[in-house]
Amino acid sequence: MAPRQRPGASSSSSSAPLPPLSIDPSALLSDAISFSGTYPITIGANTILHPRCKLNSADGPIIIGSNCIVSEKTQLVAPDVDGLVVGDYVLVEVNCTIHAARIGEGTSIEVGAKLGKGCRIGNNCSLSPQSAALEGETLADYTVIYGENHHRIDTSNTAAARNEAMLAHIDCLKKLLPNKAEKYNR
Amino acid sequence: MASPFPYIHISCPCNEERPQLIAVDSARPISPTKSPTKRDLAINLPDPQTPVQRRGLQPAVSFGTTTTDDDDEFDKDNLTDDDDEENNFDPRDPRSAFSLFPIENLLYCEDCHQIRCPRCVQDEIVCWYCPSCLFEVPSSTVKSDGNRCTRNCYLCPICTALLSVVSINPSSGPATETPAGPFTLFCNHCHWTTADLQPSIQLEKPTSISTQLAKLTSSPQDAEFARLKQHYAQQLGNAQEDFANSPAALTRLMGLYAGLGSSGTGRKGRGVKKLEMKEVDRPKEVAEEREMDLVERLARAGLDATTNTKQRIAHPHEPRFLSELKPVAVLLRTKRSKRCRKPESKVQTTRFRIRLVALNYIPSLSVKRIDSSISLTSLIPHKTHRFLLGVTNPLFEQISVSLLTPQYTPGTYYPSRVTILCPQFTVNANTDVWDDALMSTKPAVPSLTAAGGTARATSSSNDATVFEQKRNYTSVIIEVVPPEIPDIRDTGIHDDRLLEIPIFVRVEFDAEVDRDDDDPAGGGALSKPSSAAAAGTSLLRERVEYSYWCVIGVGRVGDPVEGIVASEPNTPVRTPFGTPVKGTPARGSRTPRIVRTPTGTPVKAPQTPAAARTPLRPTRP
């Protein structure tokens, strides 16, 4: 196995150039985030990036909306030239592998979920821990993946409440996490 | 057999608690000191002297243990070799297969001082509790209300995650203390809510959900069930009144069948009331489904809206559509304890309750190969294989261990020759890891130096040494010479090539006398305060001895290798002590060496009885 690149090495040292970043001033970027690739990466307002998450724009641009949370050890990889578009109020939990083309707003992706290459997740979806969206799959709005990749449609009308909870979550994280955004602004 | 080599299984003494067949042979009285042989009983009866765990009892086994003239002992052993074999534990005996367990699976009963295996312990329900709210439920409630949580714990019928209570109007703001109702049950995992149901369930209060749900979700099935239950409970109540503690009830019970044949009515005159259980007048037929309606609904909603088998079974009303599912109350769980299967009049008493696993009481063995080039799945016939047999002491006392094994592995036509180079040694107490470091000014464990001293004194007479000695671990070398064995694994019932070595482990140590622990017979004999008070700090100690058989699955014997042939003179001769070390061909493997302890004294197998080392009270009868 080839020696792994130390997390954060590309961002802190000048060994590998950072991709073009456009970070909203209200976003919170932790230390040791790994940005790689050449396509631009856009991060929206009020979005939180935990330490050691990896964003790879080698094959396409990455656009993250506002009020999102991307957790540790999560990989966001743009699948193709059209890029990865993450909507607002998206929660991506720890250790996810995401090669999706689109993640709709209000979607929560739980721990260890895997999103296949080029899949399109609708708005207000929910992927339970360790679940998977297949390559090229398109999930309708309000889809819930639970259990052994069972699908159902969420009719609970709790999307607004979840968005509110997201805002509270972000408020809390902003108090807890040190902001190292200026490090990436160059 | 599937376990990878090497494995060590310990025989539970329940193997020996066999059907009492001893009375069969009445012509030949069985001596209490000598075990009946196989020929007497036609089954392999274990040695009654094989002590399983014997406190303060010196066994009369012929294995040499504390005597100093071991050569004599050995000769005797050889003479009585025939008998010896009969008494040996045979790992291939069909019976013993049921009593062999890895030490991790074994328990230990503190009251009868015996190893207990899963076969000879009993599970006992301590209490019932809800796994989600952790409230204990009394068993009377479990009997009356069923084994589900009657508080606020409900599971999602779709994904079996726990439901939480949420307010329907989230706009009330996050800061308000008491969110306004109505409420629904919401699954955080799959986002199912009770609002999804066809007549949607909304609760007025966020508490006492069970009672609210019972009102809202009552189905005709539930009502009918309640009616039937009430009826029969009433009948049962009447019956219990009749039966309760009255001699008449007993008479009636006894006469229940006697009166059946002739005239059941004749007894009424004598004041014995006849018990009558009435059936329910008219059991209602519930849930008549109109099939056409169902088909229409199915056509409208599609297959995705139907329940699966699991969901249907989980509900008493067997819903066909997802919209008919109800929240499922959490099943209670039981907290259990293990109890020795010993008759005890009071169930509530904590005696015979097993508290710790056997690993906390009996020394555990481990086997390693010294020469890592040995393939355990194909041991070479006629070659001397050396293994490291380690003993780890879990006790807080120093123990002296005797390992005994039959010279040839029993139970097979192709016995392997087994020699333990140093069958007697001590294992130090399981002291705290930091004890030595913290108390560096204090001289090292006195018993260790004592042992070293005695070893030095007797070292001229024997060369056997332990291989390695650590804090609470001692290892010795065991030599195995397997014979050539034809491979009949495909045809035979047994795998003859499997090399299993039975080893008899005997452990002796001085324990502090635990008064609560005393059995009534022995407790009276000990006069407690006098000696302890006189000695001041010195505690009352007693000699504790126990023993067990274990089986080491060393490996499988492979095909013979050219060049290595049977050479009788070269193979080690079985002696209790290390003379064969010189005789054995070294074959490049390491020879046993003296390991220096931190104090610098060579550790040797102590030969003297423990009485010489530590002042002892006389052993208890």
Side-chain angles (χ1 to χ4, degrees), chain B residues 386-429:
Chain B
R386 289 189 168 179
F387 295 93
L388 212 54
L389 187 65
V391 180
T392 309
N393 180 12
L395 301 165
F396 299 111
E397 321 281 341
Q398 191 193 41
I399 57 171
S400 58
V401 179
S402 314
L403 302 174
L404 297 132
T405 181
Q407 186 175 5
Y408 290 100
T409 53
T412 169
Y413 289 116
Y414 310 99
S416 306
R417 190 183 271 265
V418 181
T419 314
I420 301 174
L421 290 192
C422 175
Q424 279 190 316
F425 51 88
T426 56
V427 186
N428 285 329

Coordinates of all heavy atoms in Angstrom, one line a residue, chain B residues 386-429:
Chain B
R386 N 8.9 -29.7 20.6 CA 8.9 -29.1 21.9 C 7.9 -27.9 22.0 O 7.8 -27.1 21.0 CB 10.3 -28.5 22.2 CG 11.2 -29.6 22.5 CD 12.5 -29.1 23.0 NE 13.3 -30.2 23.5 CZ 14.5 -30.0 24.0 NH1 15.0 -28.8 24.1 NH2 15.2 -31.0 24.5
F387 N 7.1 -27.9 23.0 CA 6.2 -26.8 23.2 C 6.4 -26.2 24.5 O 6.9 -26.8 25.5 CB 4.7 -27.4 23.1 CG 4.4 -27.9 21.8 CD1 4.6 -29.3 21.5 CD2 3.9 -27.1 20.8 CE1 4.3 -29.8 20.3 CE2 3.6 -27.6 19.5 CZ 3.8 -29.0 19.3
L388 N 6.0 -24.9 24.6 CA 6.0 -24.2 25.8 C 4.7 -24.2 26.5 O 3.7 -23.8 25.9 CB 6.5 -22.8 25.5 CG 7.3 -22.0 26.5 CD1 8.5 -22.9 26.8 CD2 7.7 -20.7 25.9
L389 N 4.6 -24.8 27.7 CA 3.3 -24.9 28.4 C 3.4 -23.8 29.5 O 4.1 -23.9 30.4 CB 3.2 -26.3 29.0 CG 1.9 -26.6 29.6 CD1 0.8 -26.6 28.5 CD2 1.9 -28.0 30.2
G390 N 2.6 -22.8 29.3 CA 2.6 -21.7 30.3 C 1.4 -21.8 31.2 O 0.3 -22.2 30.8
V391 N 1.6 -21.4 32.5 CA 0.6 -21.4 33.5 C 0.5 -20.0 34.0 O 1.5 -19.4 34.4 CB 0.8 -22.4 34.6 CG1 -0.3 -22.4 35.6 CG2 1.0 -23.8 34.0
T392 N -0.7 -19.4 33.9 CA -0.9 -18.1 34.4 C -1.8 -18.2 35.7 O -2.8 -18.8 35.7 CB -1.6 -17.2 33.4 OG1 -0.9 -17.3 32.2 CG2 -1.7 -15.8 33.8
N393 N -1.3 -17.5 36.7 CA -2.0 -17.6 38.0 C -2.9 -16.4 38.2 O -2.5 -15.3 38.2 CB -0.9 -17.6 39.1 CG -1.5 -17.7 40.5 OD1 -2.7 -18.0 40.6 ND2 -0.7 -17.5 41.5
P394 N -4.2 -16.6 38.3 CA -5.1 -15.5 38.6 C -5.3 -15.2 40.0 O -5.9 -14.2 40.4 CB -6.4 -16.0 38.0 CG -6.4 -17.5 38.2 CD -5.0 -17.9 38.2
L395 N -4.7 -16.0 40.9 CA -5.0 -15.8 42.4 C -4.0 -14.9 43.0 O -2.9 -14.6 42.4 CB -4.9 -17.2 43.1 CG -5.8 -18.2 42.6 CD1 -5.4 -19.6 43.1 CD2 -7.2 -17.9 43.0
F396 N -4.3 -14.4 44.1 CA -3.4 -13.5 44.8 C -2.4 -14.2 45.7 O -1.8 -13.6 46.6 CB -4.2 -12.4 45.6 CG -5.1 -11.6 44.6 CD1 -6.5 -11.7 44.7 CD2 -4.5 -10.7 43.7 CE1 -7.2 -11.0 43.8 CE2 -5.3 -10.0 42.9 CZ -6.7 -10.1 42.9
E397 N -2.3 -15.5 45.6 CA -1.4 -16.3 46.4 C -0.5 -16.9 45.4 O -0.8 -17.2 44.2 CB -2.2 -17.4 47.1 CG -3.5 -16.9 47.7 CD -3.3 -16.2 49.0 OE1 -2.2 -16.2 49.6 OE2 -4.2 -15.4 49.4
Q398 N 0.7 -17.2 45.9 CA 1.6 -18.0 45.1 C 1.1 -19.4 45.0 O 0.6 -20.0 46.1 CB 3.0 -18.0 45.7 CG 4.0 -18.6 44.8 CD 5.3 -18.9 45.5 OE1 5.3 -19.3 46.6 NE2 6.4 -18.6 44.8
I399 N 1.1 -20.1 43.9 CA 0.6 -21.4 43.8 C 1.7 -22.3 43.4 O 2.6 -21.9 42.7 CB -0.6 -21.5 42.8 CG1 -0.2 -21.1 41.4 CG2 -1.8 -20.8 43.3 CD1 -1.2 -21.4 40.3
S400 N 1.6 -23.6 43.8 CA 2.5 -24.6 43.3 C 1.7 -25.5 42.4 O 0.6 -26.0 42.8 CB 3.2 -25.3 44.4 OG 2.3 -25.9 45.3
V401 N 2.2 -25.8 41.3 CA 1.5 -26.5 40.3 C 2.2 -27.8 40.0 O 3.4 -27.9 39.9 CB 1.4 -25.7 38.9 CG1 0.7 -26.4 37.9 CG2 0.8 -24.3 39.2
S402 N 1.4 -28.9 39.9 CA 1.9 -30.1 39.4 C 1.2 -30.5 38.1 O 0.0 -30.5 38.1 CB 1.7 -31.2 40.4 OG 2.1 -30.8 41.7
L403 N 2.0 -30.8 37.1 CA 1.3 -31.2 35.9 C 1.7 -32.6 35.7 O 2.8 -33.1 35.8 CB 1.9 -30.4 34.7 CG 1.7 -28.9 34.8 CD1 2.5 -28.2 33.6 CD2 0.3 -28.5 34.7
L404 N 0.7 -33.4 35.4 CA 0.9 -34.9 35.2 C 0.2 -35.3 34.0 O -0.9 -34.9 33.7 CB 0.4 -35.6 36.4 CG 1.1 -35.3 37.7 CD1 0.1 -35.0 38.8 CD2 2.1 -36.3 38.1
T405 N 0.9 -36.1 33.2 CA 0.3 -36.6 32.0 C 0.7 -38.1 31.8 O 1.8 -38.5 32.3 CB 0.8 -35.8 30.8 OG1 0.2 -36.3 29.6 CG2 2.3 -35.8 30.6
P406 N -0.2 -38.9 31.3 CA 0.2 -40.2 31.0 C 1.3 -40.2 30.0 O 1.5 -39.4 29.1 CB -1.1 -40.8 30.4 CG -2.0 -39.7 30.1 CD -1.6 -38.6 30.9
Q407 N 2.2 -41.2 30.1 CA 3.4 -41.3 29.3 C 3.0 -41.4 27.8 O 3.6 -40.8 27.0 CB 4.2 -42.5 29.7 CG 5.5 -42.6 29.0 CD 6.3 -43.8 29.6 OE1 5.7 -44.6 30.4 NE2 7.5 -44.0 29.2
Y408 N 1.9 -42.1 27.5 CA 1.5 -42.2 26.2 C 0.0 -41.7 26.2 O -0.7 -42.0 27.1 CB 1.5 -43.7 25.7 CG 2.9 -44.2 25.5 CD1 3.5 -45.0 26.4 CD2 3.6 -43.8 24.3 CE1 4.8 -45.4 26.2 CE2 4.9 -44.3 24.1 CZ 5.5 -45.1 25.1 OH 6.8 -45.5 24.9
T409 N -0.3 -41.0 25.1 CA -1.6 -40.4 25.1 C -2.6 -41.6 25.0 O -2.5 -42.5 24.2 CB -1.8 -39.5 23.8 OG1 -1.4 -40.3 22.7 CG2 -1.0 -38.3 24.0
P410 N -3.7 -41.5 25.8 CA -4.6 -42.6 25.9 C -5.6 -42.6 24.8 O -5.8 -41.6 24.1 CB -5.2 -42.4 27.3 CG -5.2 -41.0 27.5 CD -4.0 -40.5 26.8
G411 N -6.4 -43.7 24.7 CA -7.6 -43.7 23.9 C -7.3 -43.9 22.4 O -8.2 -43.7 21.6
T412 N -6.1 -44.2 22.0 CA -5.8 -44.4 20.6 C -4.9 -45.6 20.4 O -4.1 -45.9 21.3 CB -5.3 -43.1 20.0 OG1 -4.8 -43.4 18.7 CG2 -4.1 -42.6 20.8
Y413 N -4.9 -46.1 19.2 CA -4.0 -47.2 18.9 C -2.6 -46.7 18.7 O -1.6 -47.4 18.6 CB -4.5 -48.0 17.7 CG -5.7 -48.9 18.0 CD1 -6.9 -48.6 17.4 CD2 -5.6 -49.9 19.0 CE1 -8.0 -49.4 17.7 CE2 -6.7 -50.7 19.3 CZ -7.9 -50.4 18.6 OH -9.0 -51.2 18.9
Y414 N -2.5 -45.4 18.4 CA -1.2 -44.8 18.0 C -0.9 -43.8 19.1 O -1.0 -42.6 18.8 CB -1.3 -44.2 16.6 CG -1.9 -45.2 15.6 CD1 -3.2 -45.1 15.3 CD2 -1.1 -46.1 15.1 CE1 -3.7 -46.0 14.3 CE2 -1.6 -47.0 14.2 CZ -2.9 -46.9 13.8 OH -3.4 -47.8 12.9
P415 N -0.4 -44.2 20.2 CA -0.2 -43.3 21.3 C 1.1 -42.5 21.0 O 2.1 -43.0 20.5 CB 0.0 -44.1 22.5 CG 0.4 -45.4 22.1 CD -0.2 -45.6 20.7
S416 N 1.1 -41.2 21.4 CA 2.3 -40.4 21.3 C 2.9 -40.3 22.7 O 2.3 -40.4 23.7 CB 1.9 -39.0 20.8 OG 1.2 -39.0 19.7
R417 N 4.2 -40.2 22.6 CA 4.9 -40.1 23.8 C 5.0 -38.6 24.3 O 5.4 -37.8 23.5 CB 6.3 -40.6 23.6 CG 7.2 -40.8 24.8 CD 8.5 -41.3 24.4 NE 8.6 -42.8 24.3 CZ 9.1 -43.5 25.3 NH1 9.4 -43.0 26.4 NH2 9.1 -44.8 25.1
V418 N 4.7 -38.4 25.5 CA 4.6 -37.1 26.1 C 5.5 -37.0 27.3 O 5.5 -37.8 28.2 CB 3.2 -36.7 26.4 CG1 3.1 -35.3 26.9 CG2 2.3 -36.9 25.2
T419 N 6.3 -35.9 27.4 CA 7.1 -35.7 28.5 C 7.0 -34.2 28.9 O 7.2 -33.3 28.1 CB 8.6 -36.0 28.3 OG1 8.6 -37.2 27.6 CG2 9.4 -36.1 29.5
I420 N 6.7 -34.0 30.2 CA 6.8 -32.6 30.7 C 8.1 -32.5 31.4 O 8.4 -33.3 32.4 CB 5.6 -32.4 31.6 CG1 4.3 -32.5 30.9 CG2 5.7 -30.9 32.2 CD1 3.1 -32.4 31.8
L421 N 8.9 -31.6 31.0 CA 10.3 -31.6 31.5 C 10.4 -31.1 32.9 O 11.2 -31.6 33.7 CB 11.2 -30.7 30.6 CG 11.5 -31.2 29.2 CD1 12.6 -30.4 28.6 CD2 11.8 -32.7 29.3
C422 N 9.5 -30.3 33.3 CA 9.5 -29.8 34.7 C 8.1 -29.8 35.2 O 7.4 -28.8 35.1 CB 10.1 -28.4 34.8 SG 10.0 -27.7 36.4
P423 N 7.6 -30.9 35.7 CA 6.2 -31.0 36.0 C 5.8 -30.3 37.3 O 4.6 -30.2 37.6 CB 6.0 -32.5 36.1 CG 7.3 -33.1 36.4 CD 8.3 -32.2 36.0
Q424 N 6.7 -29.9 38.1 CA 6.4 -29.2 39.3 C 7.1 -27.9 39.4 O 8.3 -27.8 39.2 CB 6.8 -30.1 40.5 CG 5.9 -31.2 40.8 CD 6.2 -31.8 42.1 OE1 7.4 -32.1 42.4 NE2 5.2 -32.1 42.9
F425 N 6.3 -26.9 39.7 CA 6.9 -25.5 39.7 C 5.9 -24.6 40.5 O 4.8 -25.0 40.8 CB 7.2 -25.0 38.3 CG 6.0 -25.1 37.4 CD1 5.1 -24.1 37.3 CD2 5.8 -26.3 36.6 CE1 4.0 -24.2 36.5 CE2 4.8 -26.4 35.8 CZ 3.9 -25.3 35.7
T426 N 6.4 -23.4 40.7 CA 5.5 -22.5 41.4 C 5.2 -21.4 40.4 O 5.9 -21.1 39.5 CB 6.1 -21.9 42.6 OG1 7.3 -21.3 42.2 CG2 6.3 -22.9 43.7
V427 N 4.0 -20.8 40.6 CA 3.7 -19.6 39.8 C 3.4 -18.5 40.8 O 2.6 -18.7 41.8 CB 2.4 -19.8 39.0 CG1 2.2 -18.7 38.1 CG2 2.6 -21.1 38.1
N428 N 4.0 -17.4 40.6 CA 3.9 -16.3 41.6 C 2.5 -15.7 41.6 O 1.7 -15.9 40.7 CB 4.9 -15.2 41.3 CG 6.3 -15.7 41.7 OD1 6.4 -16.5 42.7 ND2 7.3 -15.3 41.0
A429 N 2.2 -15.0 42.7 CA 0.9 -14.4 42.9 C 0.6 -13.4 41.8 O 1.5 -12.7 41.3 CB 0.8 -13.8 44.3

